[in-house]
Amino acid sequence: MVVTGSRTTGTVGASSPGLLTQVLRFVLIGGFCALVDSGIYWLLLQAGLWVHLAKALSFIAGTTTAFFLNRRFTFTGAQKGGAGQLGGFVLLYTVTFFVNVGTNALALHLLPDLRWRVALAWVLAQGTATTINFIMLKWVVFREARP
């Protein structure tokens, strides 16, 4: 194995970008997937779909997009684990969905009645879930093969 800069190359698999590059790609892909989610949500609502079904379908679309884009562009050195990898991704995002909602509720309960209370709660919840997602995706779901 040869280590050059922030990339590791070898015969085990594709080279992996450095940690900072992975974080940047993860954040950019997450932003794009949020647009996919909200865009589909809006379109389904405009089509007259029940609000909760529209949200469920848009969340699934955004999450599915995140899986494939992160596997392709962020965690490029990962083993391609098929159904097990997809299952781990779904489990992770299910758990962090509840972490996100729970953190938001807890923050709204604990924060004083400030003008930016709702926005701050959202940022805290999103930041917590995003951090958990990145760590678990990098070192569990899309872990790289060891040489």
Side-chain angles (χ1 to χ4, degrees), residues 107-108 110-121:
L108 288 172
L110 295 176
L111 288 170
D113 193 20
L114 302 169
R115 180 178 178 178
W116 296 100
R117 180 173 161 250
V118 172
L120 181 57

Side-chain angles (χ1 to χ4, degrees), residues 26 29-30 32-33 60-72 74-75 89 93 137 142:
F26 183 76
I29 287 170
F32 174 74
C33 293
I60 290 168
T63 301
T64 301
T65 303
F67 173 78
F68 288 108
L69 290 178
N70 277 309
R71 184 172 73 168
R72 172 69 176 95
T74 305
F75 305 107
F89 183 88
Y93 271 71
L137 287 173
F142 294 122

Side-chain angles (χ1 to χ4, degrees), residues 14-71:
S15 63
S16 178
L19 182 61
L20 186 58
T21 300
Q22 286 180 321
V23 169
L24 179 62
R25 289 178 184 179
F26 183 76
V27 169
L28 290 173
I29 287 170
F32 174 74
C33 293
L35 292 174
V36 168
D37 184 335
S38 64
I40 290 174
Y41 181 59
W42 182 83
L43 288 172
L44 292 174
L45 288 177
Q46 294 303 309
L49 200 62
W50 180 46
V51 65
H52 301 301
L53 181 56
K55 183 59 195 131
L57 292 173
S58 70
F59 178 81
I60 290 168
T63 301
T64 301
T65 303
F67 173 78
F68 288 108
L69 290 178
N70 277 309
R71 184 172 73 168

